Amino acid sequence: MPVGDRLDIRILGPLEVVGPDGPIPVGGHKQRALLADLVINLGHPLSSDRLITDLWGDYQPPTASGTLQAYLSRLRKSLGPKTIERGATGYRLTVPASSVDATRFRESVARAGSLAETDPAGALRHYRDALGLWRGSPLGDLGAEGFALVDARKLAEERTAARQRLFALELELGNHQAVVAELEAAVQADPLREPLWQLLILALYRSGRQADALRAFRRASRALGQELGIEPGPALVALEERILLQDPELAFRIADLDRRERRSSPTNLREVSTTFLGRESTLALLSADLSERRLVTVVGPGGVGKTRVAVETCWEILDRHPGGVYDVDLAEISTDFRVVPQIASALGIPSGGQRDLDHVVESIGERLMVLLIDNCEHVLEGAAGAVEALLGRCPGLRVLATSRVPLNADGELVRPLGPLPLPEPDETDWQSVARFDAVALFATRGAVAHDGFRVTAANAHAVAEIVRGLDGLPLAIELVAAQLPLLAPAQIADQMREGFPRAVGMNDHSRHATLRAAVDWSYDLLGDEERLLFNRLSVFRGGFSSGEAAEVCG
């Protein structure tokens, strides 16, 4: 009988489970989908209703409940009786996170990122190890299931990003000739990703193949034009011009693909591809705060943009911290005791059980370093405890945290983040309306979703109504702007008057994939009395006074 901690569960390709004696059959499509759902939500219990909805959607057979129990029983028989646990709130897979290849992939990528500045060759080995775990499209035929779609796409994007960083390191180490063939395959598989074309063109040029490099630029231009009707971006055009001029710096300097390659301090900060709009004063304030205070927490409701502001701030202050700026995302952990191991993983430190904190302290030492600790609200006690311990033992460390509520840690400076400024309902000048950050965000994201969209005199009133109806929340604005290929602004505004869920799809369970998921994330953190209060307050629309709340809620 297999033992849970000796299983190898593979989702970086078709779903597979391997035990000590070899592959373990896990049944037909629905049973495999059930296992995939449990793996994706590892550590989080899923109710029977949730599992039935994920497996059968709106077409649930009358025997769904019994069939689900049969599938669970068969999986326990195949994987081990203790691998699937039933608790008060549902079923969960109990295997260690390290049993899943996706976890090992992410840990290897994190270690590679932490080594890229100081040990490029070591980072390269970790990237190769991480990418060697892949066997095809994530979850194979199960990746298209509604419950798995977002996670599968996220994993695929992480794989592409890791390959891009690997290729950049190969060029940095002078391996341009050896990597040309891999880059050719990469652009064939993903011809719309301009950074890959940049790397291929540079690798060809450095290999003494100037004509081939220029031909590659024309191939990139043709692919972008035929598929999207757009011209190559400025970075790609600038690289072509430098090749035509035979810029001598190209012989030894990697092209400026993104901020990671221009850094002067080590970092694993995420690179965000979308334009950052507004919040300039907030960036300046947070940057100044971190010059004076050691713990700053950005607080605000879900979808207000805390993570994006924090990431942009960290890029701004990177050069001031030679010890590095490291990104620690707590969203995927479910218990307080996992906070310190998550920090260790972000720093590229192998997990050491109870000695994790000591290992982190030893790694940081007296370095001038910043930790961005993101999404703390569901593990407040663990996050506050870890931050206080690290700040107490690492004199050069500063922490920028994000949370929906303060950490209440010693020395904490809390900076609330509110919605984007909104145009007034009586604003008639459409050009003035278009200058508001909320409207500009809708226009920018809308142009990505629907090529050619812009705010005009004809649609400015509807767009202003949309962003006001969404209370200026960036997440809400981005999600609704994605509807523009299907609906005109006036149609979206009409539907929102009848209730926003019709204007925003509810097709998956990702925390930021829908407005409902963003609210659910906060709702699930409430106690019973807080949920009762929340439910009673739901009768209000657009705010309420304390007296009105008391009258309704008692």
Side-chain angles (χ1 to χ4, degrees):
M1 181 66 66
V3 180
D5 59 2
R6 296 174 62 192
L7 294 175
D8 182 7
I9 302 177
R10 303 172 181 176
I11 63 173
L12 302 180
L15 177 66
E16 290 183 356
V17 181
V18 179
D21 300 322
I24 299 173
V26 289
H29 184 86
K30 290 294 185 186
Q31 190 165 305
R32 289 162 54 80
L34 170 60
L35 177 58
D37 206 358
L38 293 170
V39 173
I40 289 171
N41 294 281
L42 186 64
H44 300 276
L46 300 179
S47 67
S48 296
D49 289 345
R50 162 74 181 272
L51 289 169
I52 288 171
T53 299
D54 286 350
L55 291 179
W56 286 284
D58 295 333
Y59 302 98
Q60 300 170 10
T63 58
S65 180
T67 304
L68 173 65
Q69 296 304 317
Y71 289 160
L72 289 165
S73 176
R74 292 171 195 164
L75 285 175
R76 287 192 184 102
K77 184 176 180 181
S78 297
L79 307 181
K82 297 182 180 181
T83 53
I84 299 177
E85 177 180 271
R86 181 177 183 178
T89 56
Y91 297 91
R92 69 182 185 94
L93 200 61
T94 60
V95 301
S98 59
S99 298
V100 181
D101 58 355
T103 300
R104 300 196 298 274
F105 164 75
R106 286 167 168 154
E107 289 177 346
S108 292
V109 168
R111 285 194 290 270
S114 68
L115 292 172
E117 181 71 19
T118 57
D119 182 11
L124 195 62
R125 288 193 295 274
H126 283 298
Y127 278 130
R128 290 285 182 192
D129 289 344
L131 292 166
L133 296 170
W134 284 78
R135 300 169 292 109
S137 299
L139 287 168
D141 60 325
L142 301 173
E145 297 285 345
F147 69 84
L149 190 59
V150 170
D151 291 273
R153 287 176 176 172
K154 182 179 179 182
L155 280 168
E157 182 62 28
E158 290 176 23
R159 179 192 190 187
T160 300
R163 291 182 73 196
Q164 186 174 311
R165 295 180 204 134
L166 178 145
F167 293 141
L169 278 174
E170 292 279 22
L171 292 184
E172 186 178 318
L173 293 171
N175 301 329
H176 36 269
Q177 290 183 328
V179 82
V180 164
E182 286 185 86
L183 279 166
E184 285 282 10
V187 297
Q188 288 290 330
D190 196 355
L192 303 182
R193 190 173 291 267
E194 291 190 49
L196 289 175
W197 283 107
Q198 289 173 261
L199 289 164
L200 172 61
I201 291 167
L202 183 59
L204 289 167
Y205 182 76
R206 284 185 171 180
S207 300
R209 299 167 60 181
Q210 180 180 357
D212 288 336
L214 293 171
R215 289 191 192 97
F217 172 82
R218 288 195 290 273
R219 286 160 51 202
S221 179
R222 188 162 53 249
L224 292 167
Q226 291 177 349
E227 185 71 23
L228 301 177
I230 61 174
E231 297 293 325
L236 198 54
V237 172
L239 179 58
E240 183 209 23
E241 292 174 353
R242 294 175 70 189
I243 289 174
L244 289 168
L245 295 172
Q246 297 188 352
D247 184 344
E249 287 192 355
L250 287 181
F252 59 87
R253 178 178 170 223
I254 192 167
D256 289 333
L257 297 177
D258 58 33
R259 289 177 290 195
R260 281 191 175 90
E261 275 64 57
R262 299 197 302 272
R263 68 183 185 270
S264 59
S265 301
T267 186
N268 70 337
L269 278 172
R270 66 198 83 174
E271 185 75 45
V272 185
S273 59
T274 54
T275 306
F276 183 71
L277 296 170
R279 308 285 201 194
E280 287 80 5
S281 60
T282 302
L283 291 183
L285 180 63
L286 291 174
S287 179
D289 286 341
L290 287 166
S291 297
E292 302 172 1
R293 304 290 289 267
R294 297 188 63 202
L295 171 59
V296 180
T297 303
V298 181
V299 300
V304 80
K306 301 182 295 294
T307 296
R308 185 64 189 274
V309 165
V311 169
E312 292 294 330
T313 299
C314 286
W315 278 115
E316 291 292 324
I317 65 174
L318 179 59
D319 289 343
R320 293 175 4 208
H321 297 86
V325 177
Y326 290 92
D327 188 343
V328 184
D329 187 1
L330 303 184
E332 300 303 320
I333 67 171
S334 57
T335 54
D336 290 295
F337 71 84
R338 289 294 306 163
V339 171
V340 174
Q342 192 78 349
I343 295 172
S345 176
L347 294 173
I349 303 168
S351 180
Q354 295 182 353
R355 282 187 47 78
D356 273 329
L357 181 61
D358 293 335
H359 290 160
V360 172
V361 170
E362 291 168 7
S363 175
I364 296 174
E366 298 186 0
R367 286 194 287 167
L368 296 179
M369 177 190 289
V370 173
L371 289 180
L372 165 56
I373 303 183
D374 194 21
N375 300 302
C376 298
E377 56 272 355
H378 60 302
V379 284
L380 281 174
E381 184 176 343
V387 167
E388 289 178 344
L390 292 174
L391 290 176
R393 297 173 64 182
C394 303
L397 177 65
R398 296 178 187 274
V399 173
L400 177 60
T402 74
S403 179
R404 299 193 181 181
V405 292
L407 303 186
N408 292 322
D410 291 342
E412 179 182 28
L413 174 64
V414 177
R415 288 295 186 191
L417 186 67
L420 295 171
L422 296 167
E424 295 295 330
D426 57 358
E427 179 66 65
T428 58
D429 181 1
W430 73 269
Q431 292 176 320
S432 297
V433 168
R435 284 194 287 269
F436 279 84
D437 288 337
V439 175
L441 177 62
F442 185 90
T444 302
R445 300 299 185 260
V448 172
H450 183 52
D451 188 33
F453 174 79
R454 61 190 181 93
V455 176
T456 65
N459 63 27
H461 178 77
V463 172
E465 182 180 351
I466 291 168
V467 298
R468 283 196 300 269
L470 298 172
D471 295 326
L473 288 176
L475 172 63
I477 292 169
E478 294 193 17
L479 290 172
V480 173
Q483 307 297 310
L484 284 173
L486 303 175
L487 299 169
Q491 293 174 302
I492 295 175
D494 288 342
Q495 289 200 2
M496 286 180 60
R497 294 187 199 106
E498 302 173 20
F500 78 45
R502 291 186 59 188
V504 182
M506 301 291 178
N507 297 323
D508 59 66
H509 305 286
S510 173
R511 183 170 61 93
H512 278 167
T514 67
L515 295 180
R516 179 166 293 169
V519 174
D520 285 348
W521 174 262
S522 291
Y523 186 80
D524 290 343
L525 300 177
L526 300 178
D528 291 340
E529 292 185 356
E530 292 167 324
R531 290 186 183 185
L532 178 62
L533 179 63
F534 181 92
N535 294 339
R536 289 177 175 175
L537 291 173
S538 67
V539 300
F540 293 106
R541 179 171 183 172
F544 49 85
S545 68
S546 58
E548 291 169 335
E551 185 175 349
V552 169
C553 302

